[in-house]
Amino acid sequence: MASKDGAVIVLMGVCGAGKTTIGRRLEKEMQYKYLDADDFHSELNKEKMRMGIPLTDEDRIPWLEALRDVINEYLDNKKGLILGCSALKNQYREMLRSGYPAYKWGTYASPVNFILLDAPAEVLSVRVNARAAEGKHYMPASLLQSQLDLLKIDDCEGILKVDATLTPEAIVNTILNKLQFQGCFRHNCIEFH
Ligand SMILES: Nc1ncnc2c1ncn2[C@@H]1O[C@H](COP(=O)(O)OP(=O)(O)OP(=O)(O)O)[C@@H](O)[C@H]1O
Ligand SMILES: O=C(O)[C@H](O)[C@@H](O)[C@H](O)[C@H](O)CO
């Protein structure tokens, strides 16, 4: 799965935003590997979420450190990575940007780029309730509001926002078009070489 750029794209957003759905499709379209941050949680974190208890910073930090190390490995090997991860707070995103070892906090100049899958609470609620009813995921719908309460992005971070209420096909096409025609991101991966 080598890519010429060795860049990292973090598909971010609250539960039900479509990170897994879109990430898997992008993996097929781009020659990037898709990894889901869900798969990096400790059993303890999963158990908490199953019980409907929101994770705290203390719960998330070791998880984010593991993800930062994975990012570092992909950058080191110049392999493209798409990571589906909630990345709700600036502090969490800063940890992921630090997967680029030379990253200076607060500069946002990192080959780790973020795309926010953005959807209103009502749409997300329908999705997570349907998924929970099918018993397909450990995440109960009741945790959605706690994630919406934490999600905050700042314009100066240069995060690409995509309307996640569109069909998966339309979302993927929007992302591919933006990557192609807008020269990737402000802090282009090319700088990394
Ligand atoms: N664009 C979309 N339109 C309609 N349904 C969607 C769309 N994207 C995802 N879904 C559906 O919403 C549900 C949640 O999607 P998905 O698992 O991809 O979200 P997620 O952001 O990865 O969630 P989590 O963080 O909880 O793992 C799934 O049932 C999926 O099929
Ligand atoms: O509380 C959180 O930060 C999120 O729920 C994560 O726990 C999920 O695993 C994330 O959506 C990854 O897909």
Side-chain angles (χ1 to χ4, degrees), residues 19 36-38 41 49 55 60 63 84-86 138-139 147:
K19 302 179 292 292
D36 204 304
D38 271 339
H41 275 302
M49 290 190 273
L55 300 181
R60 287 193 181 102
W63 172 63
C85 176
S86 46
Y138 58 75
M139 193 89 184
Q147 298 211 341

Side-chain angles (χ1 to χ4, degrees), residues 12-23 34 36 38 84-86 117 123-124 127-128 130-131 134 136-139 147 163-169 171:
M12 60 169 285
V14 298
C15 53
K19 302 179 292 292
T20 312
T21 306
I22 302 306
Y34 175 71
D36 204 304
D38 271 339
C85 176
S86 46
L117 294 174
V123 172
L124 296 162
R127 286 187 196 169
V128 292
R131 192 178 60 176
E134 287 170 11
K136 278 192 184 161
H137 201 276
Y138 58 75
M139 193 89 184
Q147 298 211 341
D163 180 356
T165 65
L166 302 171
T167 62
E169 291 75 13
I171 296 169

Side-chain angles (χ1 to χ4, degrees), residues 162 166-175:
V162 176
L166 302 171
T167 62
E169 291 75 13
I171 296 169
V172 167
N173 286 334
T174 304
I175 292 174

Side-chain angles (χ1 to χ4, degrees), residues 6 8 35 40 66-81 98-101 192:
V8 174
L35 292 178
F40 291 79
L67 295 169
R68 176 200 60 201
D69 293 347
V70 170
I71 287 175
N72 177 250
E73 191 188 307
Y74 274 76
L75 289 175
D76 241 14
N77 292 316
K78 299 207 178 340
K79 285 183 180 167
L81 172 67
S98 304
Y100 177 50
F192 176 64

